[in-house]
Amino acid sequence: MLKRLLFGLAALAVLITVAGCEEAREWRTADISDRLPPLDFTLTDENGRTVDESDYAGKPALVFFGYTHCPDVCPVTLARLASVIRQLDAEERDQVQVLFVSVDPARDTPEVLEAYTDAFHPRFVGLTGSKEQIDAVTNRYRVHYSYGDKDADGDYAVTHSSAVMAFGRDGEPAFLTRDTDSDAALIDDLEALLK
């Protein structure tokens, strides 16, 4: 009886030690798990439907803020995300959701967003909304953007971040990737997020 009790206590001590040794995932990109709130928004998708974060629950989401008239950062970032996703195995590819949130709702209608995101990947989703809805989301995630002066044709540039935020299946923040991170680091973190 005493041997069983001692054996049970020893097994319990090992389990406690192992549990205590478990560490949070160390992302190869920037860890935002304790810096940003969970995914939460109400916007309009590229089909004109009102959607919120629950419409994308169950899949890790990569969220990027930009606009379709962007001459450089947006097309480069979306092309990179498409390339990285193509490098995942087929099952993993189907589980990653890219959400492109426009900070230029005046020009980025749902139809414009659909054509734009489809040019990079058929599973990418464009989101827009009123200026107030966009501001609610950008303020929540500390994303700054600003409009430049209009030129003679009425065109203008929008300054915005190039960072992409990753959220887990449950909408919890995970990591943030920038264009300075290698594709290998992003793929490694995505595969970990998918597990």
Side-chain angles (χ1 to χ4, degrees), residues 121-167:
H121 196 285
R123 295 183 53 87
F124 288 10
V125 174
L127 299 172
T128 187
S130 67
K131 178 84 163 60
E132 293 75 22
Q133 288 174 312
I134 300 296
D135 286 346
V137 180
T138 56
N139 290 338
R140 180 174 176 83
Y141 298 106
R142 304 178 201 156
V143 173
H144 175 75
Y145 72 96
S146 62
Y147 301 116
D149 294 330
K150 290 185 179 181
D151 65 17
D153 297 323
D155 290 329
Y156 53 91
V158 182
T159 303
H160 63 91
S161 168
S162 64
V164 177
M165 291 172 269
F167 295 84

Side-chain angles (χ1 to χ4, degrees), residues 14 44 58 60 169 177 179:
V14 168
T44 302
R169 296 177 192 280
T177 184
D179 54 4

Side-chain angles (χ1 to χ4, degrees), residues 29 75-85 87 120 124 164 177-186:
T29 58
V76 168
T77 301
L78 291 173
R80 176 181 182 230
L81 293 177
S83 172
V84 163
I85 288 170
Q87 294 177 59
F120 295 98
F124 288 10
V164 177
T177 184
R178 296 181 178 90
D179 54 4
T180 54
D181 293 317
S182 70
D183 285 0
L186 178 53

Side-chain angles (χ1 to χ4, degrees), residues 34-108:
D34 60 352
R35 295 183 184 155
L36 291 179
L39 198 57
D40 184 10
F41 61 84
T42 300
L43 293 168
T44 302
D45 74 5
E46 51 194 36
N47 296 310
R49 294 181 315 128
T50 298
V51 294
D52 62 33
E53 70 286 345
S54 67
D55 291 284
Y56 306 100
K59 291 185 176 186
L62 297 176
V63 180
F64 176 56
F65 295 85
Y67 69 116
T68 63
H69 287 73
C70 181
D72 45 26
V73 173
C74 296
V76 168
T77 301
L78 291 173
R80 176 181 182 230
L81 293 177
S83 172
V84 163
I85 288 170
R86 280 194 296 274
Q87 294 177 59
L88 301 172
D89 71 36
E91 185 179 327
E92 291 173 330
R93 269 194 304 269
D94 291 341
Q95 294 180 49
V96 178
Q97 182 65 69
V98 173
L99 303 176
F100 177 67
V101 181
S102 172
V103 292
D104 186 15
R107 292 184 289 187
D108 289 345

